Amino acid sequence: ITTYSFLVADFIAYYHKETIASLNNRQVELYIEDVYIRRQYSISKQRQFISALKLFIVFYSSTQIVNLKLTRPKRSKRLPEVLSTEEVLRIIQVTHNLNHRTIIVLLYSCGLRIGELLKLKVSDININRKQVRIRQSKGRKDRMVVLADSMLPLLNNYYLSFEPKTYFIQGVNDAPYSASSVRKFLKRSCKLAHIARTITPHTLRHSYATHLLEQGTGLRLIQEL
């Protein structure tokens, strides 16, 4: 409500010499051209304004804005950032904190979403069978992920060092670990690894899938994983 009110108020202020009842479709178009396009406002802000205005004329039907056909501009589609295997190794090598290193390795080697990682419970990881059970993730589906042999020493070390009780990656008082904390230390590790691009936990997931594809793994199997 606050955002929509602010956006509509800006529009009305732009035409402060006009009455609200006299505002028409052409004035809306000119406003968008002169303010949003000329100032290169973000696509999301343009979309918000159009949504706000369509709601505004429902409540103020006395305006001359009728049958307004404004198409919400589509969001830009960018290809996801992908790390090389060497960059992933550099990030792991410069991350000396065992807790942080385990998180990075799990995100990458299992292709996990950050939410999936933070919800992992001790009972979901079976080191002997080299399996991780992801419960009720996107689409409310469970799935099994394979643990790489190269991960097992790190996971054993983590388990013996921290002795997690409920959540495998535990926060304060055995609560789930914070997603913002993961993003912060990942950003720090990328800086130490001399990677200037913007890297997020989801970048590690994209990199996992890309590297599997480059190694000849079928798309269908990658999708299932």
Side-chain angles (χ1 to χ4, degrees):
I1 293 172
T2 303
T3 303
Y4 279 16
S5 300
F6 179 81
L7 294 172
V8 170
D10 267 359
F11 170 65
I12 293 170
Y14 183 85
Y15 289 112
H16 64 278
K17 293 182 180 179
E18 308 281 344
T19 63
I20 290 178
S22 69
L23 295 174
N24 58 48
N25 291 28
R26 183 57 186 151
Q27 286 170 312
V28 174
E29 292 168 358
L30 290 171
Y31 173 72
I32 291 173
E33 289 171 11
D34 190 48
V35 176
Y36 283 78
I37 295 174
R38 187 168 63 82
R39 297 181 188 176
Q40 296 183 329
Y41 283 167
S42 67
I43 295 294
S44 59
K45 190 165 185 177
Q46 290 183 48
R47 290 170 63 88
Q48 278 189 322
F49 169 67
I50 292 166
S51 297
L53 195 65
K54 286 186 174 182
L55 193 60
F56 170 71
I57 60 178
V58 170
F59 289 96
Y60 285 84
S61 55
S62 60
T63 70
Q64 302 304 307
I65 304 170
V66 292
N67 298 322
L68 186 64
K69 293 182 179 178
L70 287 174
T71 304
R72 292 174 177 83
K74 293 182 179 179
R75 292 188 179 92
S76 302
K77 289 187 177 181
R78 294 185 176 89
L79 288 173
E81 193 70 61
V82 175
L83 293 160
S84 68
T85 50
E86 292 78 14
E87 286 174 323
V88 174
L89 286 171
R90 286 212 313 270
I91 292 171
I92 294 168
Q93 285 166 354
V94 300
T95 307
H96 300 300
N97 181 297
L98 179 59
N99 194 25
H100 297 172
R101 179 179 282 197
T102 304
I103 289 172
I104 290 172
V105 169
L106 272 172
L107 284 170
Y108 170 69
S109 66
C110 295
L112 302 181
R113 299 179 180 91
I114 188 168
E116 294 171 345
L117 172 81
L118 301 179
K119 288 190 293 186
L120 272 183
K121 295 190 174 178
V122 176
S123 56
D124 293 329
I125 296 184
N126 190 323
I127 293 178
N128 293 326
R129 296 186 65 184
K130 304 176 189 175
Q131 287 183 328
V132 179
R133 179 184 289 275
I134 311 299
R135 299 179 186 273
Q136 296 295 290
S137 186
K138 194 172 181 179
R140 291 184 290 180
K141 294 178 182 177
D142 290 1
R143 73 178 191 278
M144 299 298 292
V145 178
V146 178
L147 287 172
D149 288 333
S150 56
M151 276 192 62
L152 302 183
L154 176 66
L155 288 183
N156 278 313
N157 188 7
Y158 169 83
Y159 191 81
L160 293 171
S161 299
F162 290 96
E163 297 182 344
K165 301 292 188 296
T166 307
Y167 293 97
F168 190 75
I169 305 296
Q170 59 185 4
V172 180
N173 298 324
D174 203 33
Y177 200 78
S178 160
S180 60
S181 296
V182 175
R183 294 188 181 95
K184 283 178 185 175
F185 75 67
L186 179 58
K187 186 178 180 179
R188 234 175 10 248
S189 293
C190 288
K191 189 175 181 181
L192 290 171
H194 304 294
I195 297 169
R197 309 192 306 282
T198 301
I199 303 301
T200 67
H202 212 70
T203 307
L204 296 169
R205 175 175 159 85
H206 281 303
S207 302
Y208 158 83
T210 302
H211 296 163
L212 283 178
L213 189 62
E214 290 172 347
Q215 291 162 17
T217 307
L219 279 171
R220 181 61 185 160
L221 178 56
I222 293 172
Q223 186 182 26
E224 288 175 0
L225 290 171

